[in-house]
Amino acid sequence: MASLPESLTELIHRLSRLPGIGPRAAERLALAVIDKNPTEISALAHALNEAVARVTHCPVCGCLSQDGAECRTCQDGSRDNGLICVVESPLDAIALEKGGGFHGLYHVLGGAISPLSGVLPEDLRIRELLARVASGSVRELILAMNASPEGEATALYIRQELDEQHEALTSEAQKAGAEAPQRVRTTRLARGLPSGSQLDYADAATLQSALDNRTEM
Ligand SMILES: [Zn+2]
């Protein structure tokens, strides 16, 4: 790229580091960008800065939100707060929302357990999930992990933790002479998804059918 101005080379370099953008696409994008009128470019730069500065994670579910507030799904009073779909990343929740047929809430873990990559259960939002369940309003958890060994291990780990928590809460209730809490139903997506696949790459119809045909765990 010896013939290109330094600032353009830098722009191409930065763009090519984004996921899904190879060197050729980065070149095309960079040239398209500098061809736009200055107003449009400063609007783009502004949008980029705003998104970086203002997009946060919802304190309840971990989905994307703005300025630290609860996300739109959590704020939507018409959603079923007894049904929680547990996913690895905010992108998975976005993919499931596209189907339009899910009316519960989400819980984003922030990844999957993978000791080889140094991701341990305490690195994920599992404690927060258990706390949501312990609060008593949850009837069903759909464990919608990716169809991978890590996703599988994560779902099994969560199931085990839920059982332990249920036992602890039940014995606490018994000691206090109170009614034992209901066991939360755990389900998982139907195996229509290709194995090893990531949720956010599946099309909306496939995801919707995996959700509709979910099975008991
Ligand atoms: Zn939320």
Side-chain angles (χ1 to χ4, degrees), residues 3-83:
S3 58
L4 294 177
E6 242 171 75
S7 52
L8 185 56
T9 311
E10 173 66 9
L11 179 58
I12 293 169
H13 170 66
R14 292 288 155 198
L15 288 170
S16 69
R17 291 173 58 129
L18 297 173
I21 300 187
R24 284 291 299 141
E27 265 176 48
R28 275 199 300 274
L29 263 177
L31 289 168
V33 163
I34 56 167
D35 258 357
K36 295 266 180 212
N37 71 55
T39 323
E40 221 169 304
I41 294 310
S42 43
L44 173 64
H46 180 72
L48 201 57
N49 279 325
E50 279 284 285
V52 171
R54 302 186 62 185
V55 173
T56 49
H57 291 274
C58 170
V60 179
C61 73
C63 283
L64 300 178
S65 64
Q66 187 146 317
D67 301 328
E70 284 187 16
C71 70
R72 287 187 178 176
T73 312
C74 285
Q75 282 183 19
D76 181 350
S78 71
R79 309 279 300 214
D80 178 357
N81 67 358
L83 178 62

